Amino acid sequence: MSVNNKVLGLIFASMHDANLLDLTKHGTMGSVPIGGRYRLVDFPLSNMVNSGITDVGVITKANYISLLDHLGAGREWDLTRKHGGLHLLPPYISGSNGGIYEGRLDALNNISAYLEKSSAKYIVCANCDVMSTIDYRPIITKHIDSEADITLIYGKGEYDFEKNKDEKYGTTILSVVNDDEFESAMLKPPFKGPSNIWLESFIISRDKLEEIVSLACSLGKHSFTKFVLQEHKEEYKIKCYKVEDEFKRIGGFTEYWEANRMLLDSEKRQSFFRKKMPIFTKVGDSAPVKYGIGTVIKNSLIADGCIIEGNVENSIIFRGVKVGKDAVVKDCILLEGTTIGEKAYISGIVTDINGEIKENRRLDGELDKPLLINN
Amino acid sequence: MNTKKKVVAMLLAGGQGSRLYALTKNVAKPAVPYGGKYRLIDFPLSNCTNSGIDTVGVLTQYQPLVLNEYIGNGQPWDLDRLNGGVHVLPPYETSKGGAWYEGTANAIYQNIRFIERYDPEFVVVLGGDHIYKMDYSKMINFHTQNDADCTISVINVPLAEASRFGIMVCDEEHRVKEFVEKPANPTSTLASMGIYVFNWQKLKKYLIQNEEEANIKRDKGEKWSKDFGKDIITSMLKDGQRLFAYEFEGYWMDVGTLDSLWEANMDLIRPDAKFDLTSKEMKIYSRNNNMPPQYIGSDAMVQDSMISEGSVIDGNVDFSVIFQGVTVEKGANIKYSIIMPGAVIKSGASVEYSIVGSDTVIESGAKIGKSPENVNPGEEWGIAVVGHNITISENTVINPKDIVDESK
């Protein structure tokens, strides 16, 4: 089966921006920096490309300038194509729609002209708030073989309502029978324990998608979870697919912190960054990292373009960061272009893009309550 | 018909680099890795882009596979253009038969038709084995200001080293009076950097003339050559053409030997680093490998080094240059060395004053090279070199100055 002609990828770049307000105020969920050199959109986009999907639409909402800058014409993802390729789909206002969408369904309604032009039979939908490296190919095959309308992708993981309750949007927990029979979906249920966590991605047959979208929008419904997975679940053939891959849903700042720190674990890191499924990203053309004399570096992920003259421990250091002489950086996430002055001491800190900590300053956050330093 | 271009650059990338031996067995010299994430050819290609030159012919001949793949469509250097861009130019056959490139001048001669398609005023001739950042447009300005026929970029070298280079003797106006290849008793310290700007029509005339003369000599069984320095420059000087020397101030390194390749890498990490790749000015571009950031583990000791993305370091790295995707296991020791892309240094191995080639595996307990202070009396010292894609088995000792190009 040639996947290429039949499958269209759709990425929701702005879904759930409100969960990470501090980090999305200048951009979208998709353009939130992660893992030293990536943006969250790189994961679903690379997954699609690595799964042979060469026709991908990225649905944006507001503040998408940084996302546009990051994606460009899609060259780094090999999506600059005559046929298919990358399409950025910003919202627009016309007589029949309200412009800025609220949920997945009206977002899809917004791009109906784009969908009509596509010859795809199946559509893979993914959000940007889940970090995962997934091969969609076996899932697409299973979807086709099972003649399902919708196949929901989920993974086993620890769920904790306490962590989740302040979130504007919440985790969706699936009740699944025999690993693939969908029973029900619960949004932000009040319990704690190992659960089937929906990875906010699914495969849907294209004619079914068009049917659902036009029905939902005529009724003024926007939420895929509520409308399809709860209210009308009996009307569609919904299947589930369990992935064994590592994943991390980023529902808030704490989970953003945890997602980055997960990458310090060698086994987990290897699950996210596999030789055969590379995560593509915009190329920065930075020089390799330069370490000065007497630096002590432990358990850290450091991107190219950094100049490190101080000490770094248990940290994620993005591109182009400068750490001055005798400075100490412990349990920190330093976003792109951050400068740490000489003899500064920081721990439990997340800095903003181009952040600056002046020399001799001391700043302490806590491991379970890291501090975000906004510019 | 192509759009007219003011300048076309021709990059001589066919050299075998026989003195780099173990590192150029299967790759052309310009594809040799340098500086943690670059290859030698990144320097002239990036310089072209940074100088506003968008049409570059790359003349390849020796082991072109890796080099061709690396250059690709030229996108990393912004040289994927509708008009111009980078073109790989291997030797080809014609109805009259074909020929390998028989020298640097002949390589350009065989591609006269490529250059003519752009009808340029100037042709810049470049080598593929030098490390430097240079704005060629300044040199072209100097060339036009002097109303020159040919301008040769030169650098001031210590008198003691002058006999290793092609030396220019100039007058006060920078006009070249004499050119001597590797003089025994140099009378000037201005060494040719192998970078030339020519008025295209003039160069074309001399290329054709040299070709004809050399072929006549060959037919007669006499000594002949088709070389830039030796033939073209010498003939132009003899005819009283206007040749000028453009003095370049800045870092320039000829990496023709294994020792100079090692030195040029070390120049990046010396405390008084002579060459800066981190500055945003005249950025050097390279093809990207899509690797995650480097990971430095809890047991690692890393200082005074340059390390690139995709590497996983759990051992000790001191004063070294580590390329992309290198693995240094816990308890491995690397000092004053260059570890090329994808190499694996296993636990307990030691690498000192050495170059380890791409994808090579150094097994546990192997000892590669030695610090000069640990050399026994009477033992010879120098940089040890292990070639690309081989395995050095457990506890094997590779002595200083040894060059290994097969698994051991």
Side-chain angles (χ1 to χ4, degrees):
Chain A
M1 181 197 72
S2 162
V3 160
N4 303 26
N5 312 322
K6 287 190 172 173
V7 183
L8 171 74
L10 284 178
I11 294 172
F12 296 87
S14 291
M15 204 52 69
H16 306 170
D17 281 0
N19 277 341
L20 259 184
L21 268 185
D22 284 330
L23 287 160
T24 57
K25 64 174 193 265
H26 305 301
T28 63
M29 185 61 91
S31 48
V32 167
I34 186 103
R37 65 176 298 203
Y38 303 97
R39 302 288 179 130
L40 279 173
V41 71
D42 293 337
F43 282 90
L45 195 52
S46 303
N47 289 340
M48 288 180 182
V49 170
N50 288 327
S51 304
I53 302 171
T54 53
D55 194 352
V56 182
V58 177
I59 303 173
T60 64
K61 199 173 187 175
N63 283 335
Y64 50 81
I65 291 174
S66 62
L67 188 74
L68 284 179
D69 178 54
H70 182 72
L71 296 176
R75 186 166 51 206
E76 272 94 354
W77 297 266
D78 202 19
L79 286 174
T80 310
R81 298 298 180 104
K82 285 216 163 175
H83 303 287
L86 180 73
H87 292 267
L88 281 147
L89 306 165
Y92 67 97
I93 296 169
S94 76
S96 64
N97 69 45
I100 304 295
Y101 58 83
E102 283 173 42
R104 241 179 295 239
L105 294 174
D106 50 339
L108 288 166
N109 191 42
N110 236 332
I111 60 156
S112 54
Y114 169 74
L115 292 177
E116 268 164 36
K117 272 198 295 183
S118 165
S119 60
K121 279 182 80 175
Y122 305 100
I123 297 173
V124 177
C125 294
N127 274 15
C128 289
D129 50 359
V130 177
M131 178 173 85
S132 61
T133 300
I134 292 174
D135 186 348
Y136 291 119
R137 281 170 294 194
I139 313 176
I140 296 166
T141 306
K142 188 95 188 286
H143 176 83
I144 296 170
D145 291 348
S146 68
E147 294 177 334
D149 294 327
I150 298 165
T151 301
L152 301 171
I153 302 170
Y154 75 100
K156 283 264 178 208
E158 276 301 313
Y159 167 75
D160 184 358
F161 174 71
E162 282 305 309
K163 273 190 182 174
N164 214 237
K165 67 179 181 194
D166 296 333
E167 220 183 280
K168 182 157 185 242
Y169 305 94
T171 307
T172 302
I173 303 296
L174 304 178
S175 169
V176 185
V177 180
N178 295 332
D179 277 356
D180 69 352
E181 294 292 328
F182 174 74
E183 205 173 58
S184 64
M186 291 158 283
L187 193 52
K188 238 163 61 163
F191 67 78
K192 183 183 173 175
S195 309
N196 299 320
I197 296 170
W198 183 36
L199 302 188
E200 308 278 340
S201 59
F202 57 98
I203 296 168
I204 186 164
S205 302
R206 184 257 189 91
D207 46 0
K208 208 42 91 175
L209 178 81
E210 285 174 335
E211 185 191 314
I212 292 172
V213 167
S214 68
L215 175 67
C217 291
S218 68
L219 297 169
K221 303 281 188 178
H222 308 304
S223 162
F224 177 83
T225 310
K226 287 179 192 153
F227 185 76
V228 181
L229 302 185
Q230 293 180 337
E231 291 160 25
H232 292 77
K233 63 175 182 174
E234 309 299 342
E235 286 151 49
Y236 305 108
K237 188 175 176 189
I238 303 173
K239 287 279 191 180
C240 296
Y241 188 101
K242 185 168 87 177
V243 292
E244 304 293 341
D245 313 279
E246 286 287 345
F247 67 90
K248 179 73 183 174
R249 187 177 172 277
I250 299 168
F253 184 64
T254 311
E255 282 164 317
Y256 173 74
W257 169 261
E258 289 167 356
N260 275 290
R261 288 178 66 90
M262 260 176 107
L263 299 173
L264 294 177
D265 180 304
S266 289
E267 257 173 57
K268 289 182 177 153
R269 193 174 59 248
Q270 277 161 27
S271 169
F272 286 109
F273 302 120
R274 298 175 216 164
K275 279 219 169 93
K276 290 200 171 146
M277 293 198 72
I279 304 301
F280 304 102
T281 190
K282 188 181 176 185
V283 171
D285 291 303
S286 335
V289 179
K290 214 171 155 180
Y291 295 97
I293 294 174
T295 53
V296 179
I297 318 291
K298 302 281 176 202
N299 188 36
S300 293
L301 200 61
I302 304 178
D304 274 4
C306 294
I307 299 175
I308 312 284
E309 311 220 52
N311 306 320
V312 179
E313 198 179 330
N314 305 334
S315 294
I316 290 90
I317 313 289
F318 283 68
R319 290 196 273 221
V321 166
K322 290 194 173 80
V323 176
K325 263 196 172 40
D326 300 316
V328 175
V329 175
K330 218 176 146 184
D331 298 302
C332 288
I333 299 173
L334 306 183
L335 295 194
E336 193 169 338
T338 294
T339 309
I340 308 297
E342 289 184 12
K343 294 182 184 150
Y345 180 103
I346 57 170
S347 74
I349 300 289
V350 179
T351 60
D352 211 340
I353 291 175
N354 295 326
E356 192 186 352
I357 307 288
K358 296 234 162 39
E359 48 196 68
N360 298 311
R361 290 289 296 274
R362 181 170 178 127
L363 279 169
D364 292 284
E366 282 162 43
L367 266 186
D368 53 353
K369 222 173 173 205
L371 269 179
L372 174 69
I373 311 291
N374 276 313
N375 289 350
Chain B
M1 178 68 200
N2 290 297
T3 316
K4 182 180 165 65
K5 297 281 180 187
K6 192 176 166 201
V7 184
V8 169
M10 297 297 274
L11 210 164
L12 300 161
Q16 182 180 349
S18 47
R19 286 173 303 158
L20 289 179
Y21 179 58
L23 298 176
T24 51
K25 204 173 158 190
N26 295 313
V27 290
K29 189 171 165 189
V32 167
Y34 166 81
K37 71 184 292 190
Y38 307 95
R39 291 180 188 261
L40 300 184
I41 197 165
D42 288 331
F43 290 84
L45 287 180
S46 303
N47 286 339
C48 280
T49 278
N50 291 332
S51 309
I53 298 172
D54 63 9
T55 308
V56 184
V58 180
L59 302 145
T60 61
Q61 176 153 288
Y62 173 81
Q63 291 283 11
L65 181 72
V66 175
L67 188 61
N68 285 348
E69 187 184 74
Y70 187 72
I71 296 169
N73 67 350
Q75 184 273 321
W77 305 272
D78 207 16
L79 289 171
D80 53 333
R81 302 294 177 103
L82 280 184
N83 274 298
V86 67
H87 294 259
V88 174
L89 304 168
Y92 57 90
E93 234 172 322
T94 69
S95 53
K96 292 179 200 152
W100 294 105
Y101 293 148
E102 305 166 316
T104 49
N106 177 259
I108 308 280
Y109 170 83
Q110 290 203 37
N111 287 289
I112 286 177
R113 281 179 54 232
F114 167 78
I115 298 169
E116 295 271 85
R117 290 167 75 85
Y118 299 100
D119 187 22
E121 276 173 63
F122 307 110
V123 166
V124 179
V125 177
L126 304 166
D129 45 10
H130 298 131
I131 308 288
Y132 63 109
K133 287 183 179 182
M134 180 171 173
D135 185 347
Y136 303 132
S137 67
K138 288 185 184 159
M139 181 174 170
I140 294 166
N141 283 343
F142 176 88
H143 177 86
T144 37
Q145 276 161 17
N146 285 307
D147 195 20
D149 296 304
C150 168
T151 300
I152 302 145
S153 182
V154 295
I155 191 158
N156 226 326
V157 294
L159 187 64
E161 286 179 32
S163 51
R164 284 174 38 214
F165 296 94
I167 293 295
M168 304 281 163
V169 182
C170 301
D171 68 11
E172 278 160 20
E173 260 78 57
H174 308 284
R175 184 153 176 188
V176 180
K177 293 285 148 204
E178 203 188 334
F179 169 72
V180 212
E181 191 72 63
K182 294 181 184 151
N185 299 302
T187 51
S188 153
T189 54
L190 295 176
S192 166
M193 295 162 64
I195 300 164
Y196 309 90
V197 175
F198 289 98
N199 287 356
W200 169 235
Q201 292 308 325
K202 192 72 68 151
L203 173 62
K204 192 168 104 182
K205 183 184 143 207
Y206 277 91
L207 285 174
I208 294 168
Q209 187 186 315
N210 165 249
E211 183 71 19
E212 285 166 354
E213 284 172 8
N215 288 347
I216 290 168
K217 281 186 194 161
R218 175 164 59 188
D219 291 345
K220 285 188 193 159
E222 289 172 21
K223 251 181 102 177
W224 60 275
S225 63
K226 299 174 178 178
D227 188 75
F228 259 97
K230 214 164 167 186
D231 303 299
I232 305 291
I233 300 299
T234 312
S235 306
M236 287 179 85
L237 271 176
K238 207 160 65 187
D239 294 355
Q241 301 288 355
R242 293 178 64 81
L243 279 78
F244 284 80
Y246 172 76
E247 200 174 332
F248 175 70
E249 281 170 12
Y251 182 86
W252 177 80
M253 189 78 169
D254 177 354
V255 283
T257 63
L258 291 165
D259 284 350
S260 62
L261 179 67
W262 181 85
E263 281 286 340
N265 276 283
M266 292 300 136
D267 281 346
L268 294 168
I269 47 177
R270 292 181 204 287
D272 54 338
K274 291 183 185 167
F275 192 45
D276 185 13
L277 288 172
T278 59
S279 82
K280 292 218 162 77
E281 245 171 86
M282 298 283 294
K283 220 178 199 186
I284 302 301
Y285 304 101
S286 63
R287 190 169 282 281
N288 191 274
N289 299 45
N290 299 303
M291 287 187 178
Q294 61 192 275
Y295 174 74
I296 312 288
S298 299
D299 300 306
M301 298 264 281
V302 169
Q303 67 151 347
D304 209 3
S305 292
M306 211 161 182
I307 304 181
S308 198
E309 50 202 10
S311 289
V312 176
I313 313 290
D314 287 304
N316 306 330
V317 177
D318 196 0
F319 212 82
S320 294
V321 176
I322 312 283
F323 285 71
Q324 306 103 319
V326 167
T327 306
V328 179
E329 289 188 359
K330 190 176 163 180
N333 281 298
I334 298 170
K335 265 186 187 171
Y336 295 90
S337 291
I338 299 158
I339 314 292
M340 291 186 171
V344 179
I345 316 296
K346 298 234 169 134
S347 75
S350 117
V351 180
E352 290 184 30
Y353 288 87
S354 298
I355 301 175
V356 175
S358 312
D359 299 315
T360 283
V361 179
I362 309 293
E363 295 282 359
S364 298
K367 276 179 89 74
I368 317 295
K370 222 182 225 185
S371 296
E373 61 267 26
N374 295 336
V375 169
N376 304 321
E379 193 181 4
E380 232 189 329
W381 184 82
I383 301 301
V385 180
V386 181
H388 303 301
N389 214 359
I390 56 181
T391 301
I392 301 298
S393 53
E394 276 184 37
N395 303 320
T396 305
V397 176
I398 306 294
N399 289 320
K401 222 176 174 178
D402 276 3
I403 298 172
V404 183
D405 65 348
E406 280 171 347
S407 291
K408 231 175 153 167

